[in-house]
Amino acid sequence: MKKLRSLKWFEKDDLRSFGHRSRVNQMGYAPEEYIGKPIVAIINTWNDFNTCHTHFKERVEDIKRGVLQAGGFPMEIPCMSVGEQLIKPTSMIFRNFLAMEVEEMLRAFPIDGAVLMGGCDKTTPAVLMGAISFNIPIIYMPGGAMLRGNFEGETLGSGTDVWKYWDLRQANCFGDCEWRKLEMGIARSAGTCMTMGTAATMMTMAEALGLCLSGASSIPAVDSNHRRMARECGVEIVRLIKEDIKPLDILNRACFENAIVTLHAIGGSTNAIIHLTALSRRAKIELTLQDFEIQDIPLLLNLKPSGKYVMEDFYYAGGIRALQNALKTKLHNIKTVRGYLYDNIQDAKIFNDQVIKTLDNPLSNEPSLVVLRGNLCLNGAILKQSACEKKLLKHRGRALVYDDIQDLKEDIDRDDLDVDADTVLVLKNAGPLGAPGMPEWGQLPIPKKLLKKGVKDMLRISDARMSGTSYGACVLHVSPESYIGGNLALVQTGDIIHLDVEKRLLEVCLSDEELEKRRRAYKPPKRDYTSGYLSLYTKHVTQANEGCDFDFLSENRSYLEPRIF
C-alpha cells in the first residue's frame, strides 16, 4: 500500500505534528483510531434547504459504518449544497463554486480518499469536477430519486407533470383545488426528481463513467438497498485508498464515450452535455459537441419526460445494470471503481420490458439528443427531440423576440399577443454571461392565447438551459450566446427562423450582409458585477460548448500539495 497522505500531518515527532494530533485527540479520539489508517472524507452536500438531500444525514452514518468496518477512519466534511429547487438565481452559478470547495477541502485536510455525496442536479458534476482536479481516491454515492408522485390515481413525475398541469391551469382547464392536491402529491419523499431530469441523468452519468458502484445510480433514495449501497461505498473507498486507485486511473476517452451512449439511450437531460464537457476537460480529455452527435443509439428507456414511467419503475425493472447489459455491444469494457463493466453487468436482467427496451425493440429509433449548427448557432445548439412534437422537427416560422426574461414574462399572456402556432419564440441574454449563470429558462412558456386553442408545443429558442424534467421543442445552449454578440443577438421580431433536425440545421433567414450590418449596430445590455462571486464568475466562465467551467480550473492540480511546517 502506498504511504498514506494523512501521515504527513500526524507521524512526525515535531511541534507541528504534535499540534495536529493533540487537536484530533481533543475531539475524544485516540491516536490508534486514526494514525496509520486511511482517513476518509465524507463530502456531504446536505443542508435544510436542499429538499433532495434530506436523507443525507442518515447516509453519512451508513457510510461511516462501512469505512469503520473496512479499517478506515471517517470524517464528515459539509460542503455547499446547491439544491436546484430553492437556490437563486440559478444553481448553475454555484456549480463551479462547489467544485472549488471540494477540491480545496480535499487538498487542505489530512485526507487519503473521499466518498462524494451528491444527487440534486449540479452537486454531482461539481463534486466530481473538484475530486478529479485534485485526483486522490474517491467514490461517488448517488443520492437516489424520490418515490413516484400521485394525483387522483395518476403517477406524477416531478417537473414534467408540473409543466403539463400548469399549462392546463393557464388554459382554465384545471381548478385551484386540484392544483393544491397536485402540490401535495407530486413530491412525497427524500430524493431527487424521479423523472429522467438532470439529477437522475447525472447520477447515471457518474455510473457510466465508472465512478460509483454498479447499479447504485438507480436505487430510490428511501429504499433500504440505498442504505446498504452507502455502507458499501464506505467499504470500497478504503480499498481504493489501499490500492491507490484515483479518478484519473479510471477515466479515459472510452469512459466518456460510454457516458454519451448511455445519455442517448436513457433520453437524458440536455444539461449533461455541459457537465460531461466540463468533467472531460478536468480529466484532460477533450470533448466537443460533435462527440455527442451519435446516430445509431436509439432511445431504450421509457421514462418521463420522453416516456411514461419514473425512476422507481426503472429500478424495479432492472435498473441501470439491466439497461447497460441491453446496450453492451455499444459500450466499452471500462474499468470502474469496483471491477470491470462487463463483469458487473453480466447477470443483469430486464424484469419489465415496458420500461427498459432493447436495441432490437427500442422506444424510438431516433437519437434523443441532437446537435444543431447554422448561422444562428455557429458553435452549436442542443435539442432534445425525444421530448418534443415531431411536426416541429422541420419548421419555418416568424420570430417573436424578447431581449430579457422579465419582458417575456410580463408580455407572453396578453390576449392580443401577435402570435400563432407557427411562431418561433426567441429569448436573448439568458446564457452564461447574459443572465448571468445560464438559468433554466429555456422551456419558454406557451402563450395563454395559444394554450386556450389547444396548442401544446411550439418552437422556442434561447441561449439558456432547460430543466431535465422539461419537455417541448426547445432549442437550447445557443453558442456563442447573445450577450457577447452571437448571432442570436441580431435576431429581430418578424425574422424567419428555419429548423431542420434531419439536416441538423438552425438558421435565421438573413443574408451575411444583413447580419454584419446588425452586428455593427449591436450593443450588449449593461451588466455591473464588479465585486463578489458574480464578478469572479462573469470574468472567467466559459461558453456552453466549452462546459461553462472557469477558464482557470481546467488543469489538473494533483501535484499541488500543501506545505506543512
Side-chain angles (χ1 to χ4, degrees), residues 11 13-14 30 113 146 195 202 257-258 288 290 313 320 323 336 374 376 389 391 477 519 521 546 549:
E11 73 170 348
D13 184 17
D14 62 10
M146 70 175 87
T195 52
M202 290 313 300
E257 290 175 356
N258 277 11
T288 67
Q290 204 57 43
D313 303 306
I320 182 61
L323 183 133
T336 76
L376 202 51
E389 287 192 3
K391 66 180 181 180
H477 309 182
R519 182 173 291 107
E546 300 169 308
D549 202 356

Side-chain angles (χ1 to χ4, degrees), residues 362-395:
L363 188 67
S364 169
N365 280 305
E366 296 294 330
S368 60
L369 301 171
V370 295
V371 178
L372 303 171
R373 302 281 184 180
N375 69 358
L376 202 51
C377 53
L378 297 176
N379 291 339
I382 303 298
L383 175 69
K384 188 173 185 176
Q385 68 167 339
S386 62
C388 64
E389 287 192 3
K390 304 309 175 190
K391 66 180 181 180
L392 293 169
L393 298 180
K394 188 171 185 178
H395 186 78

